[in-house]
Amino acid sequence: MRIVNLATVSVDTTAGGTEIFSAAAARIAASEGMGCVIINPSVEIVLVDPGGSLPSSSIPGAVVGTYANSPFTCPAGVPTVVLHRSGPIRAISSSGTSTVKVGVGEAP
């Protein structure tokens, strides 16, 4: 599987989350045949939908709100592979600030 590393992102505990993968990056990745996102946080994170007028997450299961009500967990130090076609991805850290390494790859 071909993988391309993207910028490292800092994610905190702010409700609504921090964007870790933009819609523009998703379009570029898709045009290059990259169908998954690899997420490797230093502190456990969850993927969320920000709600309101902000762009929403395209991750099934991601919910509006806080860390406590999202079922989509990415454990600390464990690369999580998410099949992804389009749209931004947002995340919230479980505690403090998480350094999140993000990459894209060909779908397995």
Side-chain angles (χ1 to χ4, degrees):
M1 175 163 75
R2 185 175 66 141
I3 296 174
V4 177
N5 290 319
L6 303 177
T8 299
V9 181
S10 292
V11 173
D12 61 21
T13 58
T14 304
T18 301
E19 187 172 88
I20 62 171
F21 190 64
S22 70
R27 282 191 298 276
I28 293 167
S31 73
E32 296 293 322
M34 303 293 197
C36 66
V37 177
I38 301 95
I39 302 167
N40 189 358
S42 63
V43 174
E44 183 174 279
I45 62 171
V46 294
L47 304 183
V48 296
D49 185 299
S53 61
L54 296 172
S56 64
S57 171
S58 58
I59 301 296
V63 296
V64 175
T66 64
Y67 181 88
N69 65 8
S70 177
F72 202 119
T73 303
C74 298
V78 178
T80 301
V81 178
V82 178
L83 292 178
H84 186 68
R85 289 192 173 83
S86 67
I89 299 175
R90 300 180 74 81
I92 297 176
S93 176
S94 62
S95 62
T97 300
S98 179
T99 301
V100 182
K101 295 177 184 176
V102 180
V104 292
E106 296 169 331

